[in-house]
Amino acid sequence: MVDKEILNELKNGNYSHFQNFYDQTSKSLFFTALMIIKDQELSNDIVQESYVKFFKTIQSIDENQNIHYYLVSIARNLAINEYHKRKREISNEGLLLLKAATQELFKGNYEVEKILSVLDNDAEREIVSYHVLFEYTFKEIGRLINKPLGTVLWIYNQAMKKLRERITL
């Protein structure tokens, strides 16, 4: 069947050819999701979610539109969103572990605590610690604390200026 015919049938509530339509389209949705998130079970979930989203918006789809492409774009967007969500979750977990490790590592080190205490806020202490102590790039720090690169650089430069003014070694 042609996309127009399938779409019109589905819009009118006739699902008699849906299994055939599903068989023709589901593999490309699955592989689209799998290429992005690299998890088979999650890719299967995204395929199912793609069809749900497709049916929620079916009445607004133009009959001249390529349905297969439309479904693939839904799956791709869902997979990208899931990828970013998981990446954020992992980054947040890593950030919490890193903060705990940093506190434990420098708990008894009076000089490091004294130097960092000169800074006015946690953002300055955090950025200076990541860059100077852990040798993270500013781009990595920005991703880690969810701030733009320009903001990270500005905070770092302000913090270093304060350190130069307030500490005499």
Side-chain angles (χ1 to χ4, degrees):
M1 290 188 95
V2 183
D3 280 355
K4 285 182 186 183
E5 294 171 7
I6 293 171
L7 182 61
N8 286 330
E9 279 190 5
L10 295 174
K11 279 184 175 183
N12 294 325
N14 181 356
Y15 302 105
S16 60
H17 293 100
F18 178 72
Q19 186 61 47
N20 185 29
F21 174 67
Y22 180 85
D23 292 340
Q24 291 175 6
T25 57
S26 63
K27 287 180 185 171
S28 59
L29 300 182
F30 175 78
F31 286 112
T32 298
L34 186 62
M35 284 189 300
I36 295 169
I37 57 174
K38 302 191 181 12
D39 182 316
Q40 287 186 354
E41 289 180 29
L42 200 51
S43 294
N44 282 324
D45 291 345
I46 287 174
V47 169
Q48 301 310 314
E49 194 175 337
S50 298
Y51 286 106
V52 169
K53 197 165 190 168
F54 171 74
F55 280 109
K56 283 183 179 179
T57 60
I58 197 163
Q59 296 302 325
S60 63
I61 301 172
D62 181 15
E63 69 178 26
N64 294 322
Q65 191 167 355
N66 182 336
I67 300 173
H68 191 232
Y69 176 78
Y70 182 71
L71 275 167
V72 168
S73 66
I74 290 172
R76 183 178 184 282
N77 290 335
L78 289 171
I80 289 170
N81 290 344
E82 185 64 31
Y83 173 80
H84 288 300
K85 178 180 154 192
R86 289 179 169 268
K87 186 174 154 185
R88 230 181 355 264
E89 288 171 357
I90 291 168
S91 294
N92 290 342
E93 270 181 36
L95 181 60
L96 291 175
L97 290 172
L98 185 59
K99 281 184 179 180
T102 303
Q103 289 172 348
E104 187 62 33
L105 185 63
F106 299 115
K107 190 179 275 183
N109 193 330
Y110 179 72
E111 289 301 315
V112 173
E113 286 180 15
K114 182 179 173 186
I115 290 170
L116 291 177
S117 69
V118 170
L119 299 174
D120 295 330
N121 60 53
D122 289 337
E124 291 175 342
R125 284 188 279 277
E126 188 175 37
I127 290 171
V128 169
S129 296
Y130 287 148
H131 185 68
V132 175
L133 301 174
F134 298 108
E135 299 177 354
Y136 282 20
T137 67
F138 293 113
K139 192 173 185 179
E140 290 170 331
I141 296 168
R143 276 185 275 158
L144 192 63
I145 65 172
N146 200 24
K147 292 199 184 298
L149 178 61
T151 302
V152 171
L153 289 169
W154 185 82
I155 292 171
Y156 177 80
N157 287 326
Q158 293 298 312
M160 294 307 290
K161 183 178 175 183
K162 288 176 191 174
L163 288 173
R164 281 190 291 275
E165 291 171 354
R166 297 177 183 173
I167 295 180
T168 53
L169 297 175

PDB file of all heavy atoms in Angstrom, residues 75-101:
ATOM      1  N   ALA A  75      11.268   8.750  16.094  1.00  0.00           N
ATOM      2  CA  ALA A  75      12.147   7.829  16.824  1.00  0.00           C
ATOM      3  C   ALA A  75      13.506   8.468  17.087  1.00  0.00           C
ATOM      4  O   ALA A  75      14.068   8.337  18.181  1.00  0.00           O
ATOM      5  CB  ALA A  75      12.312   6.530  16.038  1.00  0.00           C
ATOM      6  N   ARG A  76      14.023   9.150  16.103  1.00  0.00           N
ATOM      7  CA  ARG A  76      15.328   9.794  16.249  1.00  0.00           C
ATOM      8  C   ARG A  76      15.282  10.858  17.351  1.00  0.00           C
ATOM      9  O   ARG A  76      16.159  10.909  18.213  1.00  0.00           O
ATOM     10  CB  ARG A  76      15.746  10.427  14.927  1.00  0.00           C
ATOM     11  CG  ARG A  76      17.112  11.047  14.949  1.00  0.00           C
ATOM     12  CD  ARG A  76      17.490  11.611  13.571  1.00  0.00           C
ATOM     13  NE  ARG A  76      18.832  12.108  13.580  1.00  0.00           N
ATOM     14  CZ  ARG A  76      19.199  13.283  14.095  1.00  0.00           C
ATOM     15  NH1 ARG A  76      18.291  14.076  14.623  1.00  0.00           N
ATOM     16  NH2 ARG A  76      20.457  13.669  14.087  1.00  0.00           N
ATOM     17  N   ASN A  77      14.261  11.691  17.334  1.00  0.00           N
ATOM     18  CA  ASN A  77      14.139  12.737  18.351  1.00  0.00           C
ATOM     19  C   ASN A  77      13.956  12.146  19.747  1.00  0.00           C
ATOM     20  O   ASN A  77      14.544  12.631  20.716  1.00  0.00           O
ATOM     21  CB  ASN A  77      12.998  13.684  18.014  1.00  0.00           C
ATOM     22  CG  ASN A  77      13.308  14.551  16.815  1.00  0.00           C
ATOM     23  OD1 ASN A  77      14.463  14.793  16.499  1.00  0.00           O
ATOM     24  ND2 ASN A  77      12.277  15.004  16.125  1.00  0.00           N
ATOM     25  N   LEU A  78      13.149  11.108  19.858  1.00  0.00           N
ATOM     26  CA  LEU A  78      12.962  10.452  21.156  1.00  0.00           C
ATOM     27  C   LEU A  78      14.274   9.843  21.653  1.00  0.00           C
ATOM     28  O   LEU A  78      14.604   9.938  22.840  1.00  0.00           O
ATOM     29  CB  LEU A  78      11.877   9.375  21.065  1.00  0.00           C
ATOM     30  CG  LEU A  78      10.441   9.874  20.898  1.00  0.00           C
ATOM     31  CD1 LEU A  78       9.500   8.704  20.605  1.00  0.00           C
ATOM     32  CD2 LEU A  78       9.981  10.623  22.143  1.00  0.00           C
ATOM     33  N   ALA A  79      15.027   9.229  20.749  1.00  0.00           N
ATOM     34  CA  ALA A  79      16.304   8.621  21.127  1.00  0.00           C
ATOM     35  C   ALA A  79      17.308   9.687  21.561  1.00  0.00           C
ATOM     36  O   ALA A  79      18.029   9.502  22.552  1.00  0.00           O
ATOM     37  CB  ALA A  79      16.856   7.800  19.967  1.00  0.00           C
ATOM     38  N   ILE A  80      17.350  10.787  20.843  1.00  0.00           N
ATOM     39  CA  ILE A  80      18.268  11.873  21.214  1.00  0.00           C
ATOM     40  C   ILE A  80      17.891  12.432  22.582  1.00  0.00           C
ATOM     41  O   ILE A  80      18.758  12.673  23.431  1.00  0.00           O
ATOM     42  CB  ILE A  80      18.271  12.978  20.135  1.00  0.00           C
ATOM     43  CG1 ILE A  80      18.975  12.473  18.876  1.00  0.00           C
ATOM     44  CG2 ILE A  80      18.933  14.255  20.652  1.00  0.00           C
ATOM     45  CD1 ILE A  80      18.833  13.379  17.674  1.00  0.00           C
ATOM     46  N   ASN A  81      16.605  12.626  22.816  1.00  0.00           N
ATOM     47  CA  ASN A  81      16.156  13.122  24.128  1.00  0.00           C
ATOM     48  C   ASN A  81      16.544  12.155  25.234  1.00  0.00           C
ATOM     49  O   ASN A  81      17.004  12.574  26.304  1.00  0.00           O
ATOM     50  CB  ASN A  81      14.650  13.353  24.130  1.00  0.00           C
ATOM     51  CG  ASN A  81      14.238  14.525  23.268  1.00  0.00           C
ATOM     52  OD1 ASN A  81      15.062  15.353  22.898  1.00  0.00           O
ATOM     53  ND2 ASN A  81      12.963  14.583  22.932  1.00  0.00           N
ATOM     54  N   GLU A  82      16.364  10.870  24.995  1.00  0.00           N
ATOM     55  CA  GLU A  82      16.717   9.850  25.991  1.00  0.00           C
ATOM     56  C   GLU A  82      18.230   9.829  26.228  1.00  0.00           C
ATOM     57  O   GLU A  82      18.680   9.707  27.365  1.00  0.00           O
ATOM     58  CB  GLU A  82      16.232   8.471  25.543  1.00  0.00           C
ATOM     59  CG  GLU A  82      16.432   7.380  26.552  1.00  0.00           C
ATOM     60  CD  GLU A  82      15.646   7.579  27.831  1.00  0.00           C
ATOM     61  OE1 GLU A  82      14.550   8.163  27.795  1.00  0.00           O
ATOM     62  OE2 GLU A  82      16.128   7.120  28.896  1.00  0.00           O
ATOM     63  N   TYR A  83      18.982   9.952  25.163  1.00  0.00           N
ATOM     64  CA  TYR A  83      20.444   9.981  25.278  1.00  0.00           C
ATOM     65  C   TYR A  83      20.882  11.144  26.165  1.00  0.00           C
ATOM     66  O   TYR A  83      21.695  10.974  27.079  1.00  0.00           O
ATOM     67  CB  TYR A  83      21.070  10.099  23.887  1.00  0.00           C
ATOM     68  CG  TYR A  83      22.559  10.303  23.917  1.00  0.00           C
ATOM     69  CD1 TYR A  83      23.415   9.225  24.105  1.00  0.00           C
ATOM     70  CD2 TYR A  83      23.114  11.572  23.773  1.00  0.00           C
ATOM     71  CE1 TYR A  83      24.794   9.411  24.145  1.00  0.00           C
ATOM     72  CE2 TYR A  83      24.481  11.768  23.813  1.00  0.00           C
ATOM     73  CZ  TYR A  83      25.316  10.688  23.987  1.00  0.00           C
ATOM     74  OH  TYR A  83      26.673  10.877  24.036  1.00  0.00           O
ATOM     75  N   HIS A  84      20.336  12.334  25.898  1.00  0.00           N
ATOM     76  CA  HIS A  84      20.702  13.511  26.692  1.00  0.00           C
ATOM     77  C   HIS A  84      20.248  13.362  28.140  1.00  0.00           C
ATOM     78  O   HIS A  84      20.955  13.775  29.067  1.00  0.00           O
ATOM     79  CB  HIS A  84      20.131  14.790  26.082  1.00  0.00           C
ATOM     80  CG  HIS A  84      20.833  15.192  24.821  1.00  0.00           C
ATOM     81  ND1 HIS A  84      22.167  15.476  24.755  1.00  0.00           N
ATOM     82  CD2 HIS A  84      20.370  15.335  23.560  1.00  0.00           C
ATOM     83  CE1 HIS A  84      22.506  15.780  23.525  1.00  0.00           C
ATOM     84  NE2 HIS A  84      21.434  15.704  22.772  1.00  0.00           N
ATOM     85  N   LYS A  85      19.091  12.782  28.340  1.00  0.00           N
ATOM     86  CA  LYS A  85      18.581  12.564  29.694  1.00  0.00           C
ATOM     87  C   LYS A  85      19.516  11.634  30.468  1.00  0.00           C
ATOM     88  O   LYS A  85      19.889  11.922  31.600  1.00  0.00           O
ATOM     89  CB  LYS A  85      17.178  11.959  29.617  1.00  0.00           C
ATOM     90  CG  LYS A  85      16.560  11.644  30.946  1.00  0.00           C
ATOM     91  CD  LYS A  85      15.177  11.049  30.741  1.00  0.00           C
ATOM     92  CE  LYS A  85      14.795  10.185  31.893  1.00  0.00           C
ATOM     93  NZ  LYS A  85      13.629   9.379  31.625  1.00  0.00           N
ATOM     94  N   ARG A  86      19.920  10.550  29.838  1.00  0.00           N
ATOM     95  CA  ARG A  86      20.824   9.598  30.491  1.00  0.00           C
ATOM     96  C   ARG A  86      22.200  10.203  30.719  1.00  0.00           C
ATOM     97  O   ARG A  86      22.827   9.956  31.740  1.00  0.00           O
ATOM     98  CB  ARG A  86      20.935   8.316  29.686  1.00  0.00           C
ATOM     99  CG  ARG A  86      19.688   7.496  29.737  1.00  0.00           C
ATOM    100  CD  ARG A  86      19.809   6.232  28.896  1.00  0.00           C
ATOM    101  NE  ARG A  86      18.702   5.387  29.190  1.00  0.00           N
ATOM    102  CZ  ARG A  86      18.716   4.435  30.123  1.00  0.00           C
ATOM    103  NH1 ARG A  86      19.799   4.209  30.806  1.00  0.00           N
ATOM    104  NH2 ARG A  86      17.653   3.713  30.365  1.00  0.00           N
ATOM    105  N   LYS A  87      22.661  10.983  29.780  1.00  0.00           N
ATOM    106  CA  LYS A  87      23.963  11.634  29.904  1.00  0.00           C
ATOM    107  C   LYS A  87      23.955  12.591  31.092  1.00  0.00           C
ATOM    108  O   LYS A  87      24.900  12.645  31.863  1.00  0.00           O
ATOM    109  CB  LYS A  87      24.266  12.381  28.609  1.00  0.00           C
ATOM    110  CG  LYS A  87      25.627  12.984  28.532  1.00  0.00           C
ATOM    111  CD  LYS A  87      25.824  13.542  27.140  1.00  0.00           C
ATOM    112  CE  LYS A  87      26.804  14.655  27.135  1.00  0.00           C
ATOM    113  NZ  LYS A  87      26.931  15.281  25.837  1.00  0.00           N
ATOM    114  N   ARG A  88      22.853  13.333  31.240  1.00  0.00           N
ATOM    115  CA  ARG A  88      22.703  14.260  32.360  1.00  0.00           C
ATOM    116  C   ARG A  88      22.678  13.498  33.675  1.00  0.00           C
ATOM    117  O   ARG A  88      23.291  13.916  34.652  1.00  0.00           O
ATOM    118  CB  ARG A  88      21.411  15.055  32.187  1.00  0.00           C
ATOM    119  CG  ARG A  88      21.569  16.508  32.315  1.00  0.00           C
ATOM    120  CD  ARG A  88      20.297  17.326  32.170  1.00  0.00           C
ATOM    121  NE  ARG A  88      19.076  16.677  31.813  1.00  0.00           N
ATOM    122  CZ  ARG A  88      18.578  16.581  30.579  1.00  0.00           C
ATOM    123  NH1 ARG A  88      19.236  17.077  29.574  1.00  0.00           N
ATOM    124  NH2 ARG A  88      17.429  15.993  30.354  1.00  0.00           N
ATOM    125  N   GLU A  89      21.954  12.383  33.711  1.00  0.00           N
ATOM    126  CA  GLU A  89      21.881  11.595  34.940  1.00  0.00           C
ATOM    127  C   GLU A  89      23.251  11.079  35.336  1.00  0.00           C
ATOM    128  O   GLU A  89      23.636  11.130  36.496  1.00  0.00           O
ATOM    129  CB  GLU A  89      20.916  10.419  34.758  1.00  0.00           C
ATOM    130  CG  GLU A  89      19.466  10.819  34.707  1.00  0.00           C
ATOM    131  CD  GLU A  89      18.545   9.666  34.318  1.00  0.00           C
ATOM    132  OE1 GLU A  89      19.042   8.561  34.040  1.00  0.00           O
ATOM    133  OE2 GLU A  89      17.328   9.891  34.292  1.00  0.00           O
ATOM    134  N   ILE A  90      24.011  10.601  34.358  1.00  0.00           N
ATOM    135  CA  ILE A  90      25.348  10.102  34.634  1.00  0.00           C
ATOM    136  C   ILE A  90      26.248  11.246  35.082  1.00  0.00           C
ATOM    137  O   ILE A  90      27.009  11.111  36.029  1.00  0.00           O
ATOM    138  CB  ILE A  90      25.926   9.389  33.389  1.00  0.00           C
ATOM    139  CG1 ILE A  90      25.152   8.094  33.153  1.00  0.00           C
ATOM    140  CG2 ILE A  90      27.411   9.110  33.547  1.00  0.00           C
ATOM    141  CD1 ILE A  90      25.420   7.433  31.821  1.00  0.00           C
ATOM    142  N   SER A  91      26.139  12.396  34.432  1.00  0.00           N
ATOM    143  CA  SER A  91      26.955  13.556  34.811  1.00  0.00           C
ATOM    144  C   SER A  91      26.632  13.990  36.235  1.00  0.00           C
ATOM    145  O   SER A  91      27.530  14.304  37.000  1.00  0.00           O
ATOM    146  CB  SER A  91      26.716  14.720  33.861  1.00  0.00           C
ATOM    147  OG  SER A  91      27.180  14.411  32.589  1.00  0.00           O
ATOM    148  N   ASN A  92      25.356  14.014  36.594  1.00  0.00           N
ATOM    149  CA  ASN A  92      24.970  14.413  37.944  1.00  0.00           C
ATOM    150  C   ASN A  92      25.495  13.422  38.974  1.00  0.00           C
ATOM    151  O   ASN A  92      25.959  13.820  40.035  1.00  0.00           O
ATOM    152  CB  ASN A  92      23.453  14.550  38.052  1.00  0.00           C
ATOM    153  CG  ASN A  92      22.937  15.751  37.285  1.00  0.00           C
ATOM    154  OD1 ASN A  92      23.698  16.653  36.964  1.00  0.00           O
ATOM    155  ND2 ASN A  92      21.662  15.758  36.981  1.00  0.00           N
ATOM    156  N   GLU A  93      25.419  12.130  38.664  1.00  0.00           N
ATOM    157  CA  GLU A  93      25.968  11.119  39.568  1.00  0.00           C
ATOM    158  C   GLU A  93      27.460  11.324  39.727  1.00  0.00           C
ATOM    159  O   GLU A  93      27.995  11.291  40.829  1.00  0.00           O
ATOM    160  CB  GLU A  93      25.723   9.711  39.007  1.00  0.00           C
ATOM    161  CG  GLU A  93      24.443   9.079  39.436  1.00  0.00           C
ATOM    162  CD  GLU A  93      24.308   7.678  38.852  1.00  0.00           C
ATOM    163  OE1 GLU A  93      25.317   6.964  38.722  1.00  0.00           O
ATOM    164  OE2 GLU A  93      23.176   7.312  38.533  1.00  0.00           O
ATOM    165  N   GLY A  94      28.140  11.526  38.613  1.00  0.00           N
ATOM    166  CA  GLY A  94      29.584  11.746  38.639  1.00  0.00           C
ATOM    167  C   GLY A  94      29.941  12.992  39.421  1.00  0.00           C
ATOM    168  O   GLY A  94      30.921  13.007  40.158  1.00  0.00           O
ATOM    169  N   LEU A  95      29.147  14.029  39.271  1.00  0.00           N
ATOM    170  CA  LEU A  95      29.387  15.273  39.981  1.00  0.00           C
ATOM    171  C   LEU A  95      29.264  15.067  41.488  1.00  0.00           C
ATOM    172  O   LEU A  95      30.102  15.536  42.252  1.00  0.00           O
ATOM    173  CB  LEU A  95      28.411  16.346  39.503  1.00  0.00           C
ATOM    174  CG  LEU A  95      28.535  17.722  40.126  1.00  0.00           C
ATOM    175  CD1 LEU A  95      29.912  18.303  39.847  1.00  0.00           C
ATOM    176  CD2 LEU A  95      27.455  18.637  39.591  1.00  0.00           C
ATOM    177  N   LEU A  96      28.236  14.357  41.923  1.00  0.00           N
ATOM    178  CA  LEU A  96      28.060  14.094  43.354  1.00  0.00           C
ATOM    179  C   LEU A  96      29.223  13.273  43.914  1.00  0.00           C
ATOM    180  O   LEU A  96      29.735  13.553  44.995  1.00  0.00           O
ATOM    181  CB  LEU A  96      26.733  13.368  43.598  1.00  0.00           C
ATOM    182  CG  LEU A  96      25.475  14.196  43.344  1.00  0.00           C
ATOM    183  CD1 LEU A  96      24.228  13.315  43.504  1.00  0.00           C
ATOM    184  CD2 LEU A  96      25.405  15.379  44.298  1.00  0.00           C
ATOM    185  N   LEU A  97      29.645  12.256  43.156  1.00  0.00           N
ATOM    186  CA  LEU A  97      30.775  11.437  43.600  1.00  0.00           C
ATOM    187  C   LEU A  97      32.054  12.265  43.659  1.00  0.00           C
ATOM    188  O   LEU A  97      32.844  12.137  44.586  1.00  0.00           O
ATOM    189  CB  LEU A  97      30.969  10.239  42.656  1.00  0.00           C
ATOM    190  CG  LEU A  97      29.890   9.165  42.707  1.00  0.00           C
ATOM    191  CD1 LEU A  97      30.110   8.144  41.601  1.00  0.00           C
ATOM    192  CD2 LEU A  97      29.888   8.483  44.066  1.00  0.00           C
ATOM    193  N   LEU A  98      32.240  13.128  42.664  1.00  0.00           N
ATOM    194  CA  LEU A  98      33.432  13.959  42.623  1.00  0.00           C
ATOM    195  C   LEU A  98      33.442  14.956  43.775  1.00  0.00           C
ATOM    196  O   LEU A  98      34.476  15.169  44.410  1.00  0.00           O
ATOM    197  CB  LEU A  98      33.519  14.692  41.289  1.00  0.00           C
ATOM    198  CG  LEU A  98      34.772  15.508  41.044  1.00  0.00           C
ATOM    199  CD1 LEU A  98      36.012  14.616  41.121  1.00  0.00           C
ATOM    200  CD2 LEU A  98      34.701  16.179  39.699  1.00  0.00           C
ATOM    201  N   LYS A  99      32.302  15.546  44.068  1.00  0.00           N
ATOM    202  CA  LYS A  99      32.225  16.485  45.194  1.00  0.00           C
ATOM    203  C   LYS A  99      32.564  15.786  46.511  1.00  0.00           C
ATOM    204  O   LYS A  99      33.311  16.313  47.330  1.00  0.00           O
ATOM    205  CB  LYS A  99      30.831  17.107  45.276  1.00  0.00           C
ATOM    206  CG  LYS A  99      30.609  18.222  44.294  1.00  0.00           C
ATOM    207  CD  LYS A  99      29.255  18.855  44.478  1.00  0.00           C
ATOM    208  CE  LYS A  99      29.047  19.984  43.498  1.00  0.00           C
ATOM    209  NZ  LYS A  99      27.746  20.618  43.638  1.00  0.00           N
ATOM    210  N   ALA A 100      32.008  14.587  46.698  1.00  0.00           N
ATOM    211  CA  ALA A 100      32.275  13.828  47.919  1.00  0.00           C
ATOM    212  C   ALA A 100      33.757  13.472  48.014  1.00  0.00           C
ATOM    213  O   ALA A 100      34.373  13.597  49.078  1.00  0.00           O
ATOM    214  CB  ALA A 100      31.421  12.556  47.956  1.00  0.00           C
ATOM    215  N   ALA A 101      34.326  13.048  46.895  1.00  0.00           N
ATOM    216  CA  ALA A 101      35.746  12.682  46.877  1.00  0.00           C
ATOM    217  C   ALA A 101      36.620  13.905  47.149  1.00  0.00           C
ATOM    218  O   ALA A 101      37.620  13.817  47.867  1.00  0.00           O
ATOM    219  CB  ALA A 101      36.112  12.062  45.537  1.00  0.00           C
TER     220      ALA A 101
END
